[in-house]
mmCIF file of all heavy atoms in Angstrom:
data_model
loop_
_atom_site.group_PDB
_atom_site.id
_atom_site.type_symbol
_atom_site.label_atom_id
_atom_site.label_comp_id
_atom_site.label_asym_id
_atom_site.label_seq_id
_atom_site.Cartn_x
_atom_site.Cartn_y
_atom_site.Cartn_z
ATOM 1 N N LEU A 16 -178.359 96.902 52.238
ATOM 2 C CA LEU A 16 -177.584 97.059 51.013
ATOM 3 C C LEU A 16 -177.929 98.363 50.287
ATOM 4 O O LEU A 16 -177.253 98.758 49.344
ATOM 5 C CB LEU A 16 -177.814 95.877 50.067
ATOM 6 C CG LEU A 16 -177.463 94.505 50.644
ATOM 7 C CD1 LEU A 16 -177.775 93.410 49.635
ATOM 8 C CD2 LEU A 16 -175.989 94.439 51.058
ATOM 9 N N ASP A 17 -179.010 98.991 50.700
ATOM 10 C CA ASP A 17 -179.433 100.282 50.149
ATOM 11 C C ASP A 17 -180.075 101.078 51.259
ATOM 12 O O ASP A 17 -180.383 100.525 52.332
ATOM 13 C CB ASP A 17 -180.435 100.052 48.991
ATOM 14 C CG ASP A 17 -180.518 101.258 48.053
ATOM 15 O OD1 ASP A 17 -179.953 102.319 48.380
ATOM 16 O OD2 ASP A 17 -181.183 101.134 47.004
ATOM 17 N N ARG A 18 -180.259 102.365 51.039
ATOM 18 C CA ARG A 18 -180.850 103.218 52.071
ATOM 19 C C ARG A 18 -182.126 103.864 51.551
ATOM 20 O O ARG A 18 -182.228 104.235 50.381
ATOM 21 C CB ARG A 18 -179.863 104.317 52.469
ATOM 22 C CG ARG A 18 -178.638 103.800 53.202
ATOM 23 C CD ARG A 18 -177.793 104.956 53.694
ATOM 24 N NE ARG A 18 -176.639 104.482 54.462
ATOM 25 C CZ ARG A 18 -175.769 105.285 55.071
ATOM 26 N NH1 ARG A 18 -175.945 106.606 54.998
ATOM 27 N NH2 ARG A 18 -174.763 104.776 55.751
ATOM 28 N N PRO A 19 -183.111 104.002 52.444
ATOM 29 C CA PRO A 19 -184.334 104.695 52.030
ATOM 30 C C PRO A 19 -184.119 106.195 51.980
ATOM 31 O O PRO A 19 -183.197 106.724 52.622
ATOM 32 C CB PRO A 19 -185.316 104.309 53.125
ATOM 33 C CG PRO A 19 -184.470 104.104 54.340
ATOM 34 C CD PRO A 19 -183.171 103.529 53.822
ATOM 35 N N ASP A 20 -184.942 106.891 51.227
ATOM 36 C CA ASP A 20 -184.907 108.354 51.256
ATOM 37 C C ASP A 20 -185.417 108.880 52.600
ATOM 38 O O ASP A 20 -184.929 109.880 53.119
ATOM 39 C CB ASP A 20 -185.781 108.933 50.138
ATOM 40 C CG ASP A 20 -185.301 108.532 48.758
ATOM 41 O OD1 ASP A 20 -184.120 108.159 48.640
ATOM 42 O OD2 ASP A 20 -186.093 108.580 47.801
ATOM 43 N N SER A 21 -186.406 108.192 53.148
ATOM 44 C CA SER A 21 -186.969 108.564 54.451
ATOM 45 C C SER A 21 -187.613 107.329 55.061
ATOM 46 O O SER A 21 -187.756 106.296 54.418
ATOM 47 C CB SER A 21 -187.981 109.703 54.300
ATOM 48 O OG SER A 21 -189.042 109.324 53.446
ATOM 49 N N GLY A 22 -188.035 107.485 56.316
ATOM 50 C CA GLY A 22 -188.578 106.346 57.032
ATOM 51 C C GLY A 22 -187.492 105.623 57.792
ATOM 52 O O GLY A 22 -186.295 105.953 57.682
ATOM 53 N N GLU A 23 -187.868 104.599 58.546
ATOM 54 C CA GLU A 23 -186.882 103.873 59.340
ATOM 55 C C GLU A 23 -187.251 102.409 59.479
ATOM 56 O O GLU A 23 -188.399 102.021 59.282
ATOM 57 C CB GLU A 23 -186.725 104.506 60.724
ATOM 58 C CG GLU A 23 -188.001 104.540 61.543
ATOM 59 C CD GLU A 23 -187.803 105.186 62.893
ATOM 60 O OE1 GLU A 23 -186.639 105.212 63.382
ATOM 61 O OE2 GLU A 23 -188.789 105.666 63.484
ATOM 62 N N ILE A 24 -186.220 101.628 59.808
ATOM 63 C CA ILE A 24 -186.373 100.196 60.061
ATOM 64 C C ILE A 24 -185.876 99.948 61.472
ATOM 65 O O ILE A 24 -184.719 100.216 61.785
ATOM 66 C CB ILE A 24 -185.608 99.348 59.048
ATOM 67 C CG1 ILE A 24 -186.092 99.670 57.619
ATOM 68 C CG2 ILE A 24 -185.781 97.872 59.339
ATOM 69 C CD1 ILE A 24 -185.265 99.029 56.540
ATOM 70 N N ILE A 25 -186.753 99.430 62.311
ATOM 71 C CA ILE A 25 -186.436 99.223 63.720
ATOM 72 C C ILE A 25 -186.302 97.723 64.000
ATOM 73 O O ILE A 25 -187.087 96.921 63.507
ATOM 74 C CB ILE A 25 -187.575 99.813 64.599
ATOM 75 C CG1 ILE A 25 -187.757 101.298 64.299
ATOM 76 C CG2 ILE A 25 -187.285 99.590 66.076
ATOM 77 C CD1 ILE A 25 -189.012 101.887 64.910
ATOM 78 N N GLY A 26 -185.284 97.364 64.789
ATOM 79 C CA GLY A 26 -185.156 95.979 65.232
ATOM 80 C C GLY A 26 -183.989 95.217 64.634
ATOM 81 O O GLY A 26 -183.713 94.081 65.028
ATOM 82 N N LEU A 27 -183.297 95.820 63.652
ATOM 83 C CA LEU A 27 -182.172 95.145 63.023
ATOM 84 C C LEU A 27 -180.822 95.646 63.533
ATOM 85 O O LEU A 27 -179.787 95.133 63.124
ATOM 86 C CB LEU A 27 -182.223 95.328 61.495
ATOM 87 C CG LEU A 27 -183.228 94.469 60.745
ATOM 88 C CD1 LEU A 27 -183.285 94.866 59.282
ATOM 89 C CD2 LEU A 27 -182.899 92.982 60.869
ATOM 90 N N GLU A 28 -180.848 96.613 64.443
ATOM 91 C CA GLU A 28 -179.610 97.250 64.867
ATOM 92 C C GLU A 28 -178.586 96.270 65.427
ATOM 93 O O GLU A 28 -177.394 96.371 65.154
ATOM 94 C CB GLU A 28 -179.903 98.331 65.925
ATOM 95 C CG GLU A 28 -180.844 99.435 65.466
ATOM 96 C CD GLU A 28 -182.317 99.055 65.612
ATOM 97 O OE1 GLU A 28 -182.599 97.947 66.089
ATOM 98 O OE2 GLU A 28 -183.182 99.873 65.242
ATOM 99 N N ASN A 29 -179.057 95.281 66.193
ATOM 100 C CA ASN A 29 -178.149 94.381 66.896
ATOM 101 C C ASN A 29 -177.990 93.020 66.243
ATOM 102 O O ASN A 29 -177.279 92.159 66.786
ATOM 103 C CB ASN A 29 -178.623 94.197 68.338
ATOM 104 C CG ASN A 29 -178.658 95.516 69.106
ATOM 105 O OD1 ASN A 29 -177.765 96.345 68.982
ATOM 106 N ND2 ASN A 29 -179.695 95.709 69.917
ATOM 107 N N ILE A 30 -178.639 92.796 65.097
ATOM 108 C CA ILE A 30 -178.542 91.471 64.470
ATOM 109 C C ILE A 30 -178.071 91.555 63.017
ATOM 110 O O ILE A 30 -178.298 90.620 62.235
ATOM 111 C CB ILE A 30 -179.875 90.706 64.555
ATOM 112 C CG1 ILE A 30 -180.983 91.451 63.787
ATOM 113 C CG2 ILE A 30 -180.282 90.448 65.981
ATOM 114 C CD1 ILE A 30 -182.236 90.606 63.572
ATOM 115 N N ARG A 31 -177.426 92.660 62.637
ATOM 116 C CA ARG A 31 -176.975 92.797 61.247
ATOM 117 C C ARG A 31 -176.052 91.645 60.838
ATOM 118 O O ARG A 31 -176.072 91.196 59.685
ATOM 119 C CB ARG A 31 -176.241 94.129 61.054
ATOM 120 C CG ARG A 31 -177.156 95.334 60.954
ATOM 121 C CD ARG A 31 -177.987 95.310 59.688
ATOM 122 N NE ARG A 31 -178.839 96.489 59.564
ATOM 123 C CZ ARG A 31 -179.811 96.613 58.663
ATOM 124 N NH1 ARG A 31 -180.054 95.606 57.837
ATOM 125 N NH2 ARG A 31 -180.547 97.706 58.604
ATOM 126 N N SER A 32 -175.256 91.161 61.775
ATOM 127 C CA SER A 32 -174.322 90.063 61.459
ATOM 128 C C SER A 32 -175.033 88.718 61.435
ATOM 129 O O SER A 32 -174.421 87.697 61.122
ATOM 130 C CB SER A 32 -173.187 90.021 62.469
ATOM 131 O OG SER A 32 -173.688 89.766 63.774
ATOM 132 N N GLN A 33 -176.321 88.693 61.769
ATOM 133 C CA GLN A 33 -177.082 87.439 61.804
ATOM 134 C C GLN A 33 -178.230 87.470 60.804
ATOM 135 O O GLN A 33 -179.278 86.875 61.019
ATOM 136 C CB GLN A 33 -177.609 87.204 63.217
ATOM 137 C CG GLN A 33 -176.497 86.948 64.235
ATOM 138 C CD GLN A 33 -177.044 86.915 65.646
ATOM 139 O OE1 GLN A 33 -177.424 87.933 66.218
ATOM 140 N NE2 GLN A 33 -177.084 85.731 66.219
ATOM 141 N N VAL A 34 -177.992 88.192 59.703
ATOM 142 C CA VAL A 34 -178.962 88.242 58.602
ATOM 143 C C VAL A 34 -178.450 87.403 57.437
ATOM 144 O O VAL A 34 -177.354 87.650 56.925
ATOM 145 C CB VAL A 34 -179.202 89.682 58.132
ATOM 146 C CG1 VAL A 34 -180.162 89.705 56.933
ATOM 147 C CG2 VAL A 34 -179.776 90.540 59.266
ATOM 148 N N GLY A 35 -179.182 86.387 57.061
ATOM 149 C CA GLY A 35 -178.851 85.584 55.888
ATOM 150 C C GLY A 35 -179.639 86.065 54.685
ATOM 151 O O GLY A 35 -180.819 86.404 54.809
ATOM 152 N N TYR A 36 -178.976 86.115 53.522
ATOM 153 C CA TYR A 36 -179.627 86.651 52.319
ATOM 154 C C TYR A 36 -179.360 85.691 51.150
ATOM 155 O O TYR A 36 -178.207 85.437 50.805
ATOM 156 C CB TYR A 36 -179.056 88.031 52.014
ATOM 157 C CG TYR A 36 -179.871 88.908 51.048
ATOM 158 C CD1 TYR A 36 -179.810 90.285 51.125
ATOM 159 C CD2 TYR A 36 -180.679 88.352 50.062
ATOM 160 C CE1 TYR A 36 -180.544 91.105 50.250
ATOM 161 C CE2 TYR A 36 -181.400 89.148 49.202
ATOM 162 C CZ TYR A 36 -181.331 90.515 49.304
ATOM 163 O OH TYR A 36 -182.066 91.301 48.435
ATOM 164 N N VAL A 37 -180.438 85.204 50.550
ATOM 165 C CA VAL A 37 -180.351 84.396 49.336
ATOM 166 C C VAL A 37 -180.809 85.266 48.187
ATOM 167 O O VAL A 37 -181.990 85.618 48.101
ATOM 168 C CB VAL A 37 -181.180 83.115 49.433
ATOM 169 C CG1 VAL A 37 -181.060 82.288 48.139
ATOM 170 C CG2 VAL A 37 -180.761 82.281 50.629
ATOM 171 N N PHE A 38 -179.873 85.622 47.294
ATOM 172 C CA PHE A 38 -180.178 86.572 46.218
ATOM 173 C C PHE A 38 -180.959 85.903 45.091
ATOM 174 O O PHE A 38 -180.870 84.685 44.873
ATOM 175 C CB PHE A 38 -178.887 87.156 45.653
ATOM 176 C CG PHE A 38 -178.149 88.034 46.626
ATOM 177 C CD1 PHE A 38 -177.231 87.492 47.517
ATOM 178 C CD2 PHE A 38 -178.367 89.407 46.654
ATOM 179 C CE1 PHE A 38 -176.543 88.289 48.421
ATOM 180 C CE2 PHE A 38 -177.684 90.224 47.542
ATOM 181 C CZ PHE A 38 -176.783 89.657 48.439
ATOM 182 N N GLN A 39 -181.690 86.719 44.367
ATOM 183 C CA GLN A 39 -182.441 86.217 43.221
ATOM 184 C C GLN A 39 -181.503 85.620 42.171
ATOM 185 O O GLN A 39 -181.740 84.526 41.674
ATOM 186 C CB GLN A 39 -183.261 87.352 42.605
ATOM 187 C CG GLN A 39 -184.172 86.910 41.470
ATOM 188 C CD GLN A 39 -184.982 88.073 40.919
ATOM 189 O OE1 GLN A 39 -184.483 89.182 40.761
ATOM 190 N NE2 GLN A 39 -186.249 87.844 40.653
ATOM 191 N N ASP A 40 -180.436 86.333 41.853
ATOM 192 C CA ASP A 40 -179.435 85.823 40.907
ATOM 193 C C ASP A 40 -178.371 85.090 41.706
ATOM 194 O O ASP A 40 -177.264 85.578 41.920
ATOM 195 C CB ASP A 40 -178.831 86.978 40.101
ATOM 196 C CG ASP A 40 -178.029 86.478 38.904
ATOM 197 O OD1 ASP A 40 -177.808 85.260 38.800
ATOM 198 O OD2 ASP A 40 -177.622 87.317 38.084
ATOM 199 N N TYR A 41 -178.724 83.892 42.184
ATOM 200 C CA TYR A 41 -177.878 83.192 43.153
ATOM 201 C C TYR A 41 -176.535 82.776 42.550
ATOM 202 O O TYR A 41 -175.525 82.743 43.238
ATOM 203 C CB TYR A 41 -178.608 81.979 43.711
ATOM 204 C CG TYR A 41 -179.165 81.029 42.665
ATOM 205 C CD1 TYR A 41 -178.425 79.988 42.163
ATOM 206 C CD2 TYR A 41 -180.466 81.187 42.195
ATOM 207 C CE1 TYR A 41 -178.935 79.140 41.204
ATOM 208 C CE2 TYR A 41 -180.988 80.342 41.253
ATOM 209 C CZ TYR A 41 -180.230 79.309 40.755
ATOM 210 O OH TYR A 41 -180.744 78.473 39.804
#
């Protein structure tokens, strides 16, 4: 939902559609 200025996140490339998110302000 946001992007870092630098650095990377590895391992989510193929499962973006399988990420569940429960927000703080539900």
Side-chain angles (χ1 to χ4, degrees):
L16 302 178
D17 201 351
R18 292 186 177 184
D20 298 339
S21 59
E23 60 181 337
I24 301 172
I25 303 168
L27 283 174
E28 301 84 1
N29 299 319
I30 62 167
R31 283 293 181 191
S32 63
Q33 294 172 288
V34 177
Y36 196 152
V37 180
F38 293 87
Q39 184 179 42
D40 193 351
Y41 53 89

